Amino acid sequence: MTENIIRIRNVTKVFQMGSESIHAVDNVSLNIHKEEVCCLFGKSGSGKSTLLNLIAGLEKPTEGRILFHNKHIERMNEDQLADFRRQYVGFVFQSYHLLPTLTALENVTLPLIFKGVSVKERNEQAMEMLEAVGLADRANHKPFEMSGGQQQRVSIARAFVNRPPVVFADEPTGNLDTKTTYEMMDLITGMAQKNHQTLVIVTHDQELAEYADRIVVLQDGKIEKIQKRIREKKENVYE
Ligand code: ADP
Ligand code: MG
């Protein structure tokens, strides 16, 4: 039986722009299954990032409920949200969001600092992650000394170092060339699968969506349809 790690119920997010109300997410209900790769797919402006940010506890819904297991994300205050994110969530952003004054290794250790892990253990675990993403030899480099692909590898190492149950990625390959894009997608989905993590990826690229077990197609803030991959056939066939 499918276990749901996140349950989204009748969630709406309205942005007020002067006199105009923008329904970025419009009455969406969706279950995210434990250990699936779920893709939020749609054109620019369809509400993908807003929905991702709501699920990840980065933004508050205007209406509706979002449950992580039995925790109501929409009822949390800012401190509780920050704790929730540190404990349960990893992020990969399009623009990497690395701290520019820190080395690759230091960037990767950040989530562990918040968790209270000792310095020695932090460095060991972060180094292990840098090895896993193929960047052990760049541990002491700062972001500006690395290529876009390398920076994204560091940010992937940072997202996964904590072993969070859920990793969110918003257009993680948006700034990368085609070859690096597929390397990053293989890396992210491979790590999630190996560690039994749930992955929610935002993309507007059909080919990247095909890495997913389910593609949730968004249009104008609403779910247009959900496509499911038939895994048994070992090919990317969607019904
Ligand atoms: P996508 O990620 O699919 O491109 P977004 O979730 O970023 O879409 O945006 C959905 C809609 O909400 C768009 O019309 C966008 O302009 C609007 N929107 C997103 N964020 C804000 C904001 N902070 N303030 C006002 N409007 C916003
Ligand atoms: Mg977006």
Side-chain angles (χ1 to χ4, degrees):
M1 209 189 80
T2 310
E3 191 184 330
N4 297 320
I5 187 164
I6 299 167
R7 289 175 288 156
I8 302 159
R9 292 291 177 271
N10 304 105
V11 163
T12 293
K13 178 71 179 181
V14 181
F15 291 110
Q16 208 61 47
M17 296 287 283
S19 60
E20 202 190 344
S21 303
I22 299 166
H23 285 67
V25 172
D26 194 357
N27 195 23
V28 162
S29 296
L30 174 70
N31 292 324
I32 308 286
H33 305 161
K34 196 164 179 286
E35 295 184 32
E36 78 170 328
V37 178
C38 180
C39 174
L40 305 179
F41 178 77
K43 282 186 275 207
S44 174
S46 56
K48 307 181 295 293
S49 294
T50 305
L51 182 58
L52 191 84
N53 292 345
L54 291 169
I55 311 172
L58 287 168
E59 292 203 52
K60 287 251 183 195
T62 311
E63 275 176 61
R65 288 168 293 142
I66 303 166
L67 286 113
F68 178 87
H69 290 299
N70 292 320
K71 292 186 219 299
H72 278 269
I73 296 177
E74 85 283 358
R75 290 183 194 160
M76 294 180 188
N77 62 31
E78 287 306 318
D79 286 346
Q80 290 167 325
L81 282 173
D83 274 348
F84 163 76
R85 290 193 300 263
R86 277 171 205 158
Q87 241 186 306
Y88 298 110
V89 167
F91 285 99
V92 182
F93 298 97
Q94 177 172 353
S95 48
Y96 324 130
H97 287 206
L98 298 176
L99 293 186
T101 57
L102 301 186
T103 64
L105 186 75
E106 287 164 344
N107 267 287
V108 179
T109 59
L110 281 180
L112 301 171
I113 296 178
F114 295 126
K115 229 181 162 187
V117 181
S118 76
V119 179
K120 185 168 170 285
E121 240 179 274
R122 266 184 344 234
N123 287 335
E124 279 172 12
Q125 289 179 26
M127 203 57 210
E128 238 173 71
M129 284 306 302
L130 282 177
E131 274 164 28
V133 301
L135 270 189
D137 58 343
R138 293 289 185 279
N140 295 318
H141 286 230
K142 297 207 170 141
F144 73 90
E145 296 165 324
M146 291 184 280
S147 69
Q150 289 173 330
Q151 290 182 58
Q152 194 58 307
R153 282 176 194 273
V154 175
S155 100
I156 291 168
R158 181 186 55 188
F160 281 91
V161 71
N162 236 352
R163 299 281 158 94
V166 191
V167 174
F168 296 98
D170 191 347
E171 311 264 10
T173 61
N175 291 338
L176 303 172
D177 61 60
T178 309
K179 178 169 171 282
T180 314
T181 289
Y182 290 111
E183 284 171 11
M184 291 306 134
M185 289 301 292
D186 289 337
L187 192 57
I188 298 175
T189 52
M191 280 202 189
Q193 193 179 19
K194 182 164 154 255
N195 299 318
H196 304 285
Q197 287 157 304
T198 306
L199 191 58
V200 185
I201 297 190
V202 160
T203 186
H204 64 271
D205 183 332
Q206 180 71 48
E207 290 192 31
L208 299 191
E210 287 177 10
Y211 276 84
D213 298 305
R214 289 191 307 152
I215 305 178
V216 178
V217 182
L218 293 173
Q219 192 175 3
D220 298 330
K222 294 188 175 71
I223 295 179
E224 191 192 19
K225 59 181 173 184
I226 298 179
Q227 295 172 304
K228 201 174 163 172
R229 186 167 63 182
I230 306 156
R231 275 214 198 206
E232 293 72 45
K233 291 194 176 163
K234 291 209 164 103
E235 41 184 294
N236 289 343
V237 179
Y238 288 88
E239 58 189 7

